[in-house]
Every structure is written in structure tokens, then in C-alpha cells.
Amino acid sequence: MSAPSTPQDAPKVSVSPEATGAPKVTEREARQVAEAAREQSWRKPSFAKELFLGRFRLDLIHPHPLPASEDVQRGEEFLAKLRDFCETKIDGALIERQARIPDEVIEGLKELGALGMKIDTKYGGLGLTQVYYNKALALVGSVSPAIGALLSAHQSIGVPQPLKIFGTQEQKEKFLPRLARTDISAFLLTEPDVGSDPARLATTAVPDGDDYVLDGVKLWTTNGVVADLLVVMARVPKSEGHKGGITAFVVEAGDEGITVENRNAFMGLRGIENGVTRFHQVRVPAANRIGPEGAGLKIALTTLNTGRLSLPAMCVGAGKWCLKIAREWSAVREQWGKPVAKHEAVGAKISFIAATTFAMEAVVDLASQMADEDRNDIRIEAALAKLYGSEMSWLIADELVQIRGGRGFETAESLAARGERAVPTEQLLRDLRINRIFEGSTEIMHLLIAREAVDAHLSVAGDIIDPDKSLGDKARAGAAATAFYARWLPKLVAGPGQLPRSYAEFHPRGHTDLSVHLRYVERTSRKLARSTFYAMSRWQGRMETKQGFLGRVVDIGAELFAMSAACVRAELLRRTGEHGREAYRLADAFCRQSRIRVEELFGRLWTNTDDLDRSVVKDVLAGSYTWLEEGVLDPSGDGPWIADATPGPSMRENVHRPFR
């Protein structure tokens, strides 16, 4: 690292889009690419979509769907084996110290069948349901989040899932048996200068006879350092006989021309095998293309519809562990003559951890069971689960650090060295932080969910605000919108949430009353829909720029979904005789905490500093406040903000090391 420099004399080094190979695109072009990739139709009902439209369809989630008995038996048998393996063969502290998962652990997981949890039994997999796959990830992730990330990246977004949905029979027979038992896979989309804006994807796949020739650089390739098979997104140039567009390919990781140039290191997940992969003149058979040309982004987004559920599942595992540590520590640590748990300031944190963990598990289990049943479209539910789980688990871990005090900031190794229990609280905080960025950052998730939430409005009124539409198109859209809103708006005035006896089955004798919370959800969903309609009427085409507003709308919807899931889960547990009374109390506590957050978010819909913030940002970027940066030194090293990703042969050592 070079000597630090002041803000005034810091080197201004950057890389142009041309240097990275990323094509120049306008904001409108980028949005068109993203819009073309999303699923356009809604063939099945969606509880969350209806919620954003002001229609509380409790019938879509209650009674809570249940797995088939054979699925339960198969899942429980595997969980028992996995638990024994985790307890006897995995040393999470060792993985943290060495920043590596031992080869023998990977081999043990392979023998256990953990690579094929979601792969059909006819291809050598275990054929677990989404529910039990998630339970397995929560279990193994509680011992080592790095192993959880490896298994999740392999099966949730790696080669198995897109092949399951879009692969040919020949591709399934060729690759799935390998992926179920021996081969690890990775998903390669992100590039040094391309994140959530795939319109600028620079990696190319040029047709050449019966092959495609890959050139480009991929960044943050989770599992890329150790993978045997890759699913790669690359741009096929449009030419005679080729539609072109972003396309998905299965690529053998050991093929000539592929170089893993770096194994990246992070603040958390220290055992994760994440790297930078360069492709130079890599020949890929056309038979390895997944789906048609131009379908790559649609394949990626469809894969993530259920793939996103693995991340919040591990967040649930983190919440459960935090609750255990908070309970045990707060009962023995005394301050001013009594355990710290009995001091209100600490007790409130413990209540938040317990209630929120209950709700997070309710959300994940409900969405997962709906995914297994395949009766509902869960694209919004899965996205909400990811958004809510990543944000709330981070808050839970932060509260645990606070409860533990100085010991929460101290490493487990240091605690053990001085004779105390080695509790890795600070590690959990570091490990969880990436979840707010992985598989779509919170900001991107807000926009993605908001787009789906307003789909019904754009379907009938989108042409009115589209500058490319003709006057005739706008007139027809205006007539359609008038008819739609004439039917829809009156339904937002009143509903079951205003009737005192609605949802009475959620107030059984001797239990806390949850019906009051479901009535609140019903009323509030209508209020949210009215607010969204008013905003669209007010801002029209500028609505897409109001990211602060859209984010709050989505956050309100996430809370309402979580409240609904918590109540439905509590009733399920009551009916099955599994801690029903306690579950009702937890659901009640969560809903009351959630309602406070919802009311605050509603207040901030219209009373906020969004306009002022934009003004301040404009001044910051113009350099108006550089004087505020004076008085410090910048310890950063020299170099470009974005690494050069110009296609070409690699000049670096290949650090690819498959587990063989």
C-alpha cells in the first residue's frame, strides 16, 4: 500500500467503459433490457401481488400449506444425517481461521448427497423439497456460513436449477448426475463494470460453426475458484441465423482459455471460494447453450424466483442462534443486582430478536411451501423473503452484539484465550452483512419488487406515460385505465378489516387475539394501494425516479406479508398442537412491533427529505463540500476504481483448484 494522500491530491484514476469492454447504453435502453427479461404474465395467483393492490387474499395462504408425509420423512432423515455430520466433522472456527473449507469436509458433504439436495432422485439427487432444502441450509449455515454459501450457490443459482427449468433432456442426463454427487457449480453474471445493469454485459459468445467462442471477465464468482461446471451469461452478437442477446451456457471450468485470476477475500464468509474468472477464446459447444439465444436474463431471473429463498433460510438460522445466545447470556450476566434480561432496555432487544426470528421463519416456510405446491406465483413472495430476511437478520445480529457488550465486539478466539466461552458474535455480524448485497442489493430489490407491485397499473395505464407511444395508443390506454380504476378504486374504500368479527378463527379461546392484526393488514393493504395510486397520478412518468417512495412502499408490503405469515404460522402450530399458545404470543408481539414500523413508513411516504437529499447529492458530486473532507488522510492504495477487464489472454497464474 502506498503512502496515504489527502483528498486534494488523491490520484484520479478510472477506467472508461471502452476499456472494460462494457457497451454504452442509455438509461432507457437499460430499462428495456430489464423489462424484456422479466416474466410478463401472471398465470397463477400471488398473495403478495394482491396485497399491493389492496386485496387481502388470506385464502391463498390459510390454512397453511403442508408438505406430503413422504417428503417430510425423506427430509427429516437427511436432516438427521446432516446434523450428525455438522456436529462431528465441521469445525467452523477452523474454517474462519484458515479461510478455507477443508477438502475432507467437501468430500464428506458429497458422500452425504448434500450437493444434490434439490436434484431429482432419477439423476442421483436427494429430491428434497424447497422446505427441507432450506432447513438443511439453515442447519449447516449455523455451523459455517461459508459452507452454506457454497451449497446454496451450487444448487440455488448454479447449474442445477436453470437446467431443471430450462435444460433439454440430454443436458439433464449429461450434467445432473455429476452435479448431484461430484461436481460443484457456479453462476457467472457480474463483471467488473457490470452489476445490476445487465444491458452493459461485455462478455461475448461469438458463434463459430457448432461452437460459441467466449471472451470476457467475470467478477465475484461464488464457487468459481473450486467449480467444475459453470453457468455463464454472455452476449451473442446478432448476425445471420442468430437472434443474439444475453444467453446462458454450461461451461466446463477446466476448459482451455479459462483462468481464475484471483481468489477474493472479504470482511465475512472467510471460507467462501469467490474469484475473478477470465475467458479467452473458450470454445463452448452449442449443445451446452441453455434455452434459446437471448433468453439468458429471463433464465437467470426465473431461477432466482425460488433460488432467493436459500439466503433468507440461512438468515433464519442466524436468528435462531442469536436468540439462543441472547437467552443464555442475558440470564447469567448481572448488572445492578439482577440479570440484564430483566432490565427493560435489554429485554426489549430480546423480545425483538425472538419475535422477528419467528416471523422470518414464518415467511420463509410459507413461501417455500408455496413454491413446492406450485399453485401460486411466488416471485414477489421470494423477493420479499430475501429483502426482509437480510435486513432483519442484520438488525438482530447487531442487537446481539449490543447485548453482549464488549464481548460482542471481541473475537471468539480472543474470548477462548482468556478463558471464556468462544461465542463468535462479531463474526456473525461480518458474515451476515453481505446478505444485504448478495443476489440483488436491498436497493435493487426495492425496485424489482416495486416494478412487480405496480404491474397491474402499468398493464392498463403504462402506454399513457410512455413517450414512444402514439396518440392513438395513449387514447386507448386512457380508456382502458378509466374502466380499470372505475372498478378497482371503490373496492379500496371498505373491507373486512373494518368488521369487528372478521378473521375470528384467529382468536381461539384462551389465546392471544391475532384477528385484530389481520384486520389491520387488510385495512392497511387498501391504504397502501390508495397511496400508490395517488403517487402514480401525481408523478406519472417520473414515478420510476422516486426510489425513496418506492422503497418505503415495498417495505410496508414486506411488513404486511410478514405479519400475515406470522399469524398463519401461529394458527398452524396451534392446530397441530406444537407450542400453539407460545406461537400466538410471539406472533402478537411481532405484529405489534411491525405495526409501529408500518406507521412510521407511512409517515415518511409524504414527509421526508428526498428532494433535499437530491439537492445535497448534486452539490457533493459537484465538489461543493470538498472542504468538509479536509483534516484526514486517505489510507487507500493507488489504482483504478474499476479493474481493467479488456478481453484477451490472461497474464496471471490460474488459481482454480477443484475439490478432486
Side-chain angles (χ1 to χ4, degrees), residues 496-610:
Q498 292 163 298
L499 302 177
R501 294 296 300 161
S502 294
Y503 316 113
E505 66 268 34
F506 287 86
H507 189 192
R509 184 182 300 275
H511 288 69
T512 306
D513 184 6
L514 297 184
S515 67
V516 64
H517 300 308
L518 292 178
R519 290 195 292 274
Y520 174 84
V521 172
E522 195 279 333
R523 294 193 306 273
T524 307
S525 68
R526 287 187 281 111
K527 179 180 178 181
L528 182 61
R530 293 194 300 269
S531 299
T532 305
F533 172 74
Y534 172 71
M536 291 191 67
S537 303
R538 175 179 174 181
W539 291 316
Q540 298 186 30
R542 292 185 297 125
M543 179 78 161
E544 65 184 19
T545 68
K546 303 296 182 180
Q547 295 180 4
F549 177 89
L550 292 173
R552 294 176 198 112
V553 165
V554 169
D555 285 340
I556 292 170
E559 294 284 1
L560 297 181
F561 178 42
M563 291 171 66
S564 305
C567 292
V568 169
R569 182 175 181 80
E571 174 58 13
L572 169 67
L573 295 178
R574 185 193 71 83
R575 284 191 292 109
T576 57
E578 299 181 36
H579 312 292
R581 200 177 304 278
E582 296 86 355
Y584 256 68
R585 282 201 296 269
L586 280 174
D588 178 55
F590 172 76
C591 289
R592 292 184 185 279
Q593 294 168 9
S594 179
R595 289 169 66 163
I596 293 172
R597 293 191 291 269
V598 167
E599 293 306 312
E600 179 185 354
L601 285 165
F602 266 115
R604 290 173 54 212
L605 280 181
W606 311 110
T607 305
N608 53 64
T609 61
D610 291 351

Side-chain angles (χ1 to χ4, degrees), residues 44-63:
K44 299 174 183 176
S46 166
F47 173 80
K49 180 194 174 190
E50 294 293 301
L51 198 65
F52 281 107
L53 285 171
R55 300 192 284 251
F56 181 48
R57 291 286 308 278
L58 184 62
D59 61 296
L60 294 178
I61 62 172
H62 174 70

Side-chain angles (χ1 to χ4, degrees), residues 328-386:
E328 293 177 351
W329 166 251
S330 300
V332 300
R333 173 60 167 163
E334 291 192 358
Q335 286 280 55
W336 300 305
K338 58 184 177 181
V340 294
K342 295 187 177 180
H343 290 283
E344 191 173 277
V346 175
K349 298 179 188 301
I350 297 173
S351 174
F352 167 75
I353 292 173
T356 307
T357 297
F358 177 81
M360 289 196 306
E361 184 171 37
V363 165
V364 172
D365 275 11
L366 178 61
S368 299
Q369 187 58 49
M370 288 196 293
D372 287 330
E373 286 193 338
D374 200 27
R375 287 191 296 112
N376 294 340
D377 187 324
I378 66 156
R379 73 183 85 160
I380 300 183
E381 286 84 347
L384 287 172
K386 188 274 176 188

Side-chain angles (χ1 to χ4, degrees), residues 60-74:
L60 294 178
I61 62 172
H62 174 70
H64 194 294
L66 292 171
S69 57
E70 58 269 25
D71 291 334
V72 172
Q73 181 178 351
R74 185 166 61 248

